[in-house]
Every structure is written in C-alpha cells, then in structure tokens.
Amino acid sequence: MAAAAAATATAAALRPTRAALAAAFALLVAAGAGAAPAARPLGCLIEPDRVADVGTPVVGVVDQLRAERGDEVRAGQVLLLLRADVERASVGAASARAQTEADVRAARAALDFANQKLRRAKGLLEENFVSQQAVDQAAAEQEQARQKLAQAQDQRRVLGEERRVADAQLALRTVRSPFAGVVVDRFVNPGERVEEKPLMRIAVVDPLRVELMVPVALHGRLQEGDRLAVQPELPDQGPVTATVTRLDRVFDAASNSFRVRLSLPNPGGRLPAGLRCKAELPELPAGPGPVGAAGSPAAPGALGASGMPGALKPAAALSAQTQARSHPPPAAAPATAGTAAPGLPAAR
C-alpha cells in the first residue's frame, strides 16, 4: 500500500509539468502560425540585356573605325569599314551593264520592222501580188524578232541581279550595329587583317537584366509580372524596381535552386551593368502553416530532415523538459511485485 501511494504521488507531481509543456507548445504554435516567415534579401547580378560580338563573314583589312569603346550606337549604325576597292569597281561595272538599253531598243526596232513586213505581205497576198510562202516567211521573221526582244529583256534583268549581288558584296565590307546599345570593347585597329574573329562588342544597357538564384524552398513565391525592389551595390544609389520576366522550369540539383530573370528599366544608362545587388522577395501572407501530426499547425522551421512537420521539437518544449530533468520528483519506494515504476502502467 505504501508503494502504491508513493507511485500515485509521483504521477500527481508529474502532471503539472506535462501541462506546462503542452501550454508552451501551444503558445509557440500560435505565434508561428500567425506570423509570416521573414524573407532575407537574395544576392543577384545586374547584367546587360543582350551582348553581341559583332563580326563579318568576309576576310578583309580594316579601313576605317566609326565607333570607339564607350560610344552609344543606334541600330544599323556603321561601326567600321573594310577595304573594298575591288567591290566598288564591281558595283560600278554591274551598274553600267544594267543601265544599258541598246540591246533592248535594237530588238524592239527589229520587231516593229517585222510587224510592218508581215502586214505588207498580207496586203499583197490579198491582191495576188505575192504567194503564201512570202507571208509565212514574214510571219517567221516577226516571231524571231519577238523572241530576240524577250531575250534582251531577260538579259537586262540578269544584269540587274548581278548589280544587286555586287551591292551585297560591297555591303559585307561595312559592319553595322545589330541593335542600339553601347560599345563595350573594340578588338581591332585600322590596317589589321580580320578573319573569323569578333571586331567589336555591343551591349544593351536599357533595359538591364537581373539574374537571381532562388532556393527551391521558396518556389511559388514569385510569378511573372511581379515587381521586386533591387538594391544595387553602388554608393549613393537607392533601390530600384525590377519586373520578373522569366522563371526557370528546370531546377539546378547541385545548388538546389532555380534561376529567375528580371527586367530593370535603365533610361539614359544611369546604372552601369555588372553590378552586384540584393533583391527583396515579397512577404508571404499571414495564415496557418502546415498541419502537424496532431492536426494542429506546425511551427515554421519545425521541419526535420525527413521534411515532415514535428520532426524537431520546439525550443520552449525542450526548455521545459530540461527543467523537469533538473528538478526530479521525490524518489519513490522501490517497486515490488505487483506494483509499477512511476509513469508506467502496473503489471497485471
């Protein structure tokens, strides 16, 4: 009887401790469910929207430079010229041939004469002054004159195509900017021979492109069209606003992250490209978190290695258990046969 009374007293002493643990856990769950997790700024990089190494498909020697490093250029603006003396001469010759109309005029005059001869032959045939053979011969000569005129006209069209070919070959000696931007670098000098190498590098700086690596755990926080605050690492520069334009659909398994691209307007090129920056993610709305094993919301961060809520115990619960261990209940009498140790059901 004395042992049973001691066990009962021990169980009663433990009940307040378990109640305190339950209360502490409930408070922690309520606090975690009502507050949104804080989003840390993510590192990012501000880059040009597009970069092109401009070259030429022909082999030549640089004749003139029309742009230098740091210059702003328009789309189609001439960047440099290659020597093109032979090509210019070819264009002149092709133009002269294409403008020649003597062959066409001669063929047209011959056709007019053949038409008149045929008409006269038909008139004489009606008056029985010539035979049918003379009329047939005049008709054959008319057809020959018509074919010669068509041949001269076709030849003139061919000469026009040759002129366009010569113009295209000359145009290859002129290197133009593919888009509006800034000359980042120049790789050649006047008099230098170029062959399968870039001549200049052009970059678009309005708008700029912001590359952001986002952890997979934050997937779903961003959508195309969202506007984010971006803080460039530049002295005396405040935050700017960028718009999400693309989210990768294939994640990087090595870094457990995915790439997000943003478009940053940069009128006048006030921001240089190549800056590091910080991007602020939008806050999650407050609401219940994931449901725990007991049907109650699990506290943020209470995810174990298995990814299931409740794998880690809250800090308040661990503190309460530590206090319980540091202040154990009064020792009970040794258990005898037919009695149970404190906290265990009695053996039957």
Side-chain angles (χ1 to χ4, degrees), residues 139-160:
E141 292 177 355
Q142 181 201 35
E143 182 62 24
Q144 290 179 358
R146 182 181 293 108
Q147 295 299 328
K148 287 183 179 180
L149 177 59
Q151 183 179 3
Q153 292 174 343
D154 291 341
Q155 183 64 25
R156 186 178 181 184
R157 283 193 292 269
V158 171
L159 293 177

Side-chain angles (χ1 to χ4, degrees), residues 36 53 94 100 113 124 141 153 201 207 249 259 291 311 315 339:
D53 289 341
T100 301
F113 177 74
L124 293 174
E141 292 177 355
Q153 292 174 343
R201 179 170 295 169
R249 298 188 180 183
R259 187 184 300 271
V291 179
T339 63

Side-chain angles (χ1 to χ4, degrees), residues 14-25:
L14 288 175
R15 287 193 189 98
T17 303
R18 293 177 179 173
L21 289 175
F25 181 75

Side-chain angles (χ1 to χ4, degrees), residues 69 88 122 124 129 131-132 222 237 269 303:
R69 179 177 179 178
R88 291 191 184 94
K122 289 180 178 179
L124 293 174
F129 285 105
S131 64
Q132 183 64 37
L222 295 175
Q237 175 62 48
L303 298 179

Side-chain angles (χ1 to χ4, degrees), residues 258-282:
F258 63 98
R259 187 184 300 271
V260 176
R261 179 175 297 179
L262 300 92
S263 179
L264 176 61
N266 189 32
R270 65 181 187 277
L271 281 179
L275 290 174
R276 295 184 179 273
C277 58
K278 296 289 185 180
E280 296 284 348
L281 293 184

Side-chain angles (χ1 to χ4, degrees), residues 229-299:
V230 176
Q231 177 60 58
E233 294 183 0
L234 189 66
D236 301 330
Q237 175 62 48
V240 293
T241 302
T243 304
V244 177
T245 57
R246 181 165 300 180
L247 294 89
D248 283 358
R249 298 188 180 183
V250 178
F251 294 168
D252 183 12
S255 61
N256 199 29
S257 60
F258 63 98
R259 187 184 300 271
V260 176
R261 179 175 297 179
L262 300 92
S263 179
L264 176 61
N266 189 32
R270 65 181 187 277
L271 281 179
L275 290 174
R276 295 184 179 273
C277 58
K278 296 289 185 180
E280 296 284 348
L281 293 184
E283 296 290 341
L284 282 178
V291 179
S296 60

